[in-house]
């Protein structure tokens, strides 16, 4: 048995949540495979059983402190169906959209400006002491300040639509419980020109990075895959509602315009013994070939166009970069993410000028159903909420497929590819090499606590195993 | 003065910070701005800059006899995760990015039950919550320069 050596380093996270990467070497010291392990136990789907349906949109926000709004809205959409409501009033839908765009803005901005910007600004190989948010603040305080204020704008949108910051109650089964006051509207409108300017700048930074580092982007965690997202009936990018579309690596349609309620006919989940996180796949293609990616990259690959002018122009440049073919590069997630921020700011501007937001018809009624599915494009990708209730309106079944779970196979492939490129045959595993692994995972902006929702916490650790299965090296959070 | 209460109300006594905010909000106190969240977030730095004083109110696992007010010094964040931003780091961001000269404190409120999935506070925590309300009221009533004297 080889001697185990433990090396402690600075926190290697800058992803939301906790996990573990293991790298397995063969007898020639080449990387055989790498795995991203989610080792925490998930129990939320049982926790929700027996709760009244009216509570669900509020209770599910406890799933995650990072993206509670996504769960709130996905659950509300599912409960709309259980209430027999196919179409909520225009005021309700527009208020929910406003809330959702606020969530998108704040989440994407945090990731880009604060979690991944050290990698992009200083390089993956920079020493850990040089590659952190502190250095971003010191060397580029204006960029850091923009990130903070854009997040603040997104949070303000959430607050005025959800009613409060914690456990918002804005979305209720069948609609919404408040409209937007003129005062709230005008306060947000006053900030919009600045937000638009900063969003344009962020797109440029991300586009320039991928363009200037094309060789790196094409070789670093870049691989062909299918892509899945919601799209509008006309094929436009759609973040709040729409039908499911899946495309293959060449852009051919696998399925299109699939109704939310029918997703189980097209997707399945596989369990693997080494992870609490499931592995979803497209039924028609089977568990081996049916895996797919979700999130900003996949949404821009699936969408035919974007219905706001500046984001659409950016989308065209994004598509042209790969000759109209789906973009396979993990590092392009950052570019796609910022195009979505620009789109959301444009959408917010359009909505704030819409008098429907001051409407008073807030909730629709229908005939109670026993089952409902709500699907939404959360910041990290497609999010599925599926519930059944009994005659008393108590939840009897709950299945959630969160965005990070949809990207499970893709993240594992990204980790394996990077490990093979950067760790194979190396005599010593440097911190910079290990950071390459994390950069690959970080591109997907995973929320590991969401994907398993665990009791307790575990830092992200990276472990190296030899061909005999012995632990050669381990790097864990200090 | 700004008081930020943070913690997870779905994890028993970890919700002491937000519970304090709820109690103070009901009292509608002049000169006191309130904010509550699951965790500290970077945009709170901008809010700090608009206030002369800030109190970060959080549940504490330390078995204190009563809530404890301590002065806070800024500290740069070494890494960044919205799961792990600390009061000293928010203060640093406020100073570095927004030129804040805010006087900052941490109010540690002792709790008893944290490892539960439950809304609501334990009986000992409810008692400490009342003491925390009284501590904030005393702080607000103190004249300068005694205002905010640490425990």
């Amino acid at each position: 048995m080889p001697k185990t050596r433990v090396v402690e380093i600075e926190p290697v996270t800058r992803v939301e949540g906790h996990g573990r990467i293991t790298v397995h070497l063969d007898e020639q010291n080449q990387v055989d495979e790498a795995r991203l392990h989610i080792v925490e136990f998930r129990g939320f789907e049982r926790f929700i059983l027996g709760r009244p349906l009216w509570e669900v949109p509020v209770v599910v926000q406890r799933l995650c402190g990072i993206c509670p709004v996504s769960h709130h809205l996905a659950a509300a959409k599912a409960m709309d169906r259980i209430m027999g409501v196919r179409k909520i009033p225009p005021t309700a839908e527009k208020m929910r959209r406003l809330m959702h765009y606020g969530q998108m803005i704040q989440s994407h901005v945090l990731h880009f400006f604060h979690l991944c910007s050290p990698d992009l600004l200083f390089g993956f190989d920079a020493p850990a002491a040089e590659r952190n948010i502190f250095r971003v603040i010191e060397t580029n305080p204006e960029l850091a300040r923009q990130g903070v204020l854009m997040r603040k704008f997104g949070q303000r949108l959430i607050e005025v639509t959800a009613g409060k910051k914690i456990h918002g109650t804005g979305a209720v089964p069948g609609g919404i419980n408040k409209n937007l006051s003129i005062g709230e509207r005008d306060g947000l409108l006053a900030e919009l020109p600045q937000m638009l300017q900063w969003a344009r700048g962020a797109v440029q930074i991300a586009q320039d990075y991928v363009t200037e580092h094309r060789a790196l982007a094409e070789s670093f965690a870049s691989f062909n895959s299918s892509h899945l997202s919601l799209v509008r009936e006309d094929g436009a990018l759609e973040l709040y509602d729409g039908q499911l579309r899946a495309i293959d690596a060449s852009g051919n349609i696998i399925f299109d315009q699939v109704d939310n309620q029918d997703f189980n006919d097209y997707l399945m989940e596989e369990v693997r013994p080494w992870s609490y996180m499931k592995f979803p796949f497209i039924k028609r293609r089977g568990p081996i070939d049916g895996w797919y990616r979700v999130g900003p990259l996949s949404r821009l690959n699936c969408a035919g166009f974007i219905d706001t002018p500046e984001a659409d122009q950016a989308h065209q440049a994004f598509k042209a970069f790969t000759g109209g073919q789906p973009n396979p590069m993990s590092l392009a997630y950052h570019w796609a993410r910022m195009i979505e921020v620009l789109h959301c700011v444009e959408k917010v501007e359009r909505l704030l000028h819409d008098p429907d937001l001051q409407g008073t018809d807030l909730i629709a009624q229908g005939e109670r159903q026993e089952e409902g599915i709500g699907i939404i494009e959360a910041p990290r990708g497609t999010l599925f909420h599926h519930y059944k209730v009994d005659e008393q309106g108590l939840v009897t079944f709950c299945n959630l497929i969160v965005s990070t779970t949809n990207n499970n196979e893709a993240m594992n492939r990204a980790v394996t590819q990077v490990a093979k490129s950067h760790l194979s045959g190396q005599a010593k595993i440097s911190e910079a090499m290990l950071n390459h692994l994390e950069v690959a995972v970080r591109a997907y902006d995973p929320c590991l606590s969401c994907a398993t929702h665990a009791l307790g916490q575990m830092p992200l650790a990276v472990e190296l195993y030899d061909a005999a299965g012995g632990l050669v090296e381990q790097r864990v959070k200090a | 003065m700004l008081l930020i209460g943070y913690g997870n109300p779905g994890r028993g006594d970890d919700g002491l910070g937000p519970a304090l905010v709820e109690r103070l909000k009901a009292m509608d106190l002049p000169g006191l701005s309130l904010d509550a969240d699951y965790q500290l977030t970077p945009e709170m730095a901008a809010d700090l800059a608009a206030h002369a004083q800030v109190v970060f109110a959080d549940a504490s696992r330390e078995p204190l006899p009563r809530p404890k007010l301590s002065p806070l010094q800024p500290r740069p964040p070494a890494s960044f995760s919205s799961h792990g931003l600390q009061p000293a780091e928010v203060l640093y961001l406020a100073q570095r990015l927004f030129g804040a000269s805010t006087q900052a404190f941490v109010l540690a409120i002792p709790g008893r039950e944290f490892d539960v999935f439950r809304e609501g506070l334990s009986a000992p925590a409810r008692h400490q919550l009342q003491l925390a309300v009284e501590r904030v009221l005393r702080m607000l009533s103190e004249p300068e320069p005694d205002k905010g004297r640490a425990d």
Side-chain angles (χ1 to χ4, degrees), chain A residues 339-365:
Chain A
I339 292 171
E340 288 190 339
V341 168
L342 180 58
H343 168 64
C344 288
V345 175
E346 287 181 288
K347 282 290 222 183
V348 168
E349 182 177 37
R350 199 178 282 177
L351 277 171
L352 289 175
H353 285 106
D354 189 330
D356 276 350
L357 286 177
Q358 283 75 51
T360 54
D361 181 15
L362 304 182
I363 297 179
Q365 303 288 339

Side-chain angles (χ1 to χ4, degrees), chain A residues 14 16-17 61-62 65-66 110 114-115 132-134 137-138 141 145 148 151-152 155 165-167 449 455, chain B residues 9 11 35-39 41-43 46-47 76-78 80-83 92-93 96-98 117 119:
Chain A
R14 279 188 286 136
E16 302 296 2
Q61 292 176 86
R62 276 69 159 180
I66 307 303
L110 175 73
H114 297 135
L115 300 183
N132 54 47
I133 186 63
F134 172 63
I137 292 164
E138 291 303 308
R145 203 173 70 86
V148 169
R151 249 188 75 87
K152 189 170 170 62
Q155 294 285 47
K165 282 175 74 173
I166 292 189
H167 303 173
S449 61
L455 179 65
Chain B
R11 295 297 296 273
D35 192 9
D37 213 326
Y38 287 103
Q39 58 213 0
T41 56
E43 60 273 19
D47 297 330
F80 202 97
S81 161
S82 59
H83 277 302
Y92 171 84
L93 290 175
R96 189 69 185 81
L97 300 180
F98 299 100
F117 286 102
E119 301 263 329

Side-chain angles (χ1 to χ4, degrees), chain A residues 95-108:
Chain A
M95 284 292 286
R96 287 188 188 183
R97 284 182 177 274
L98 200 57
M99 191 192 305
H100 189 44
Y101 298 140
Q103 163 86 345
M104 279 280 181
I105 291 167
Q106 66 89 16
S107 178
H108 279 358

Side-chain angles (χ1 to χ4, degrees), chain A residues 258-315:
Chain A
V258 170
D259 189 274
N260 289 201
Q261 309 309 301
D262 301 329
F263 92 89
N264 279 308
D265 296 337
Y266 294 83
L267 302 175
M268 278 187 77
E269 291 176 280
E270 182 190 24
V271 176
R272 296 184 191 173
W274 49 268
S275 177
Y276 279 113
M277 207 157 73
K278 295 175 185 173
F279 288 76
F281 61 92
I282 295 166
K283 269 186 183 179
R284 184 186 307 173
R285 300 198 156 202
I288 305 299
D289 300 321
W291 65 278
Y292 53 86
R293 281 192 270 190
V294 300
L297 182 80
S298 298
R299 288 192 286 254
L300 264 60
N301 282 335
C302 284
F305 70 101
I306 298 180
D307 71 346
T308 56
E310 293 195 46
D312 188 53
Q313 200 173 1
H315 184 220

